[in-house]
Amino acid sequence: MPNRTFAIIKPDAVNSGYTGKIYDRILQADFKILSAKLMRMTLAQAEGFYLVHKERPFYGELTTFMSSGACMVLALEKENAVSAWRETIGATNPEDAAEGTIRKDFATSLGENAVHGSDTDENAEKEIAFFFTESELICNQ
Ligand code: IDP
Ligand code: MG
């Protein structure tokens, strides 16, 4: 049974005009897009979304960056969606990301690394619910 993951095309990538190219990578990797929206997070939303990183030294930098401009949030579906999407995006630091991954091709730094991907099925469901209502996940109906 396919399951779901949550993705963000981050402000650095949207601002650089990579939204369409990253959308293509999502489709090429056979993810079904259950929902997608362009939005700009408030600082409070970014702080809530990344609450798990609250104690990390980069929390302020990260939440300021994530609320600095437009991003695209997406709910994706595929067999083993969480690990499949993390493989598609590559390592957190683009310098360590494998050839052909989104972060290798579009990210500029450890902080501004083009895309987000959930790390577990449980977090994927929480993250999808943070930005989407069930009725917005239109392909799932
Ligand atoms: P992930 O996005 O690959 O799951 P996490 O460790 O969960 O990586 O970190 C969340 C996000 O925080 C990263 O994608 C990146 O944007 C940012 N980040 C992680 N480590 C650092 C750091 O050392 N400095 C600045 N930003 C960081
Ligand atoms: Mg993470």
Side-chain angles (χ1 to χ4, degrees):
M1 195 189 116
N3 49 13
R4 307 195 294 191
T5 193
F6 176 73
I8 307 176
I9 304 176
K10 295 186 179 183
D12 59 318
V14 172
N15 198 39
S16 300
Y18 295 144
T19 305
K21 288 190 166 129
I22 294 173
Y23 221 91
D24 276 348
R25 299 288 183 99
I26 294 169
L27 297 175
Q28 273 165 24
D30 282 332
F31 288 92
K32 185 195 247 185
I33 296 171
L34 300 180
S35 199
K37 62 185 167 190
L38 197 59
M39 63 176 295
R40 180 172 178 171
M41 285 186 212
T42 62
L43 180 60
Q45 270 177 313
E47 286 172 346
F49 180 73
Y50 281 112
L51 207 57
V52 63
H53 293 311
K54 194 171 175 34
E55 304 308 325
R56 305 274 204 103
F58 57 83
Y59 182 67
E61 182 190 331
L62 174 62
T63 53
T64 299
F65 162 60
M66 289 301 291
S67 58
S68 67
C71 69
M72 178 168 274
V73 293
L74 304 107
L76 305 178
E77 186 181 77
K78 190 183 165 147
E79 208 67 41
N80 298 314
V82 167
S83 57
W85 177 240
R86 290 201 70 99
E87 258 178 52
T88 305
I89 68 179
T92 308
N93 188 338
E95 286 180 14
D96 303 327
E99 290 295 328
T101 60
I102 292 174
R103 281 169 168 167
K104 175 75 179 182
D105 293 342
F106 302 112
T108 50
S109 68
L110 173 57
E112 305 202 357
N113 59 0
V115 279
H116 167 81
S118 307
D119 57 359
T120 62
D121 287 355
E122 190 188 354
N123 284 338
E125 291 304 321
K126 281 188 198 158
E127 291 175 1
I128 288 171
F130 192 89
F131 288 106
F132 296 105
T133 63
E134 273 303 314
S135 66
E136 285 178 313
L137 305 173
I138 50 174
C139 289
N140 211 27
Q141 291 169 0

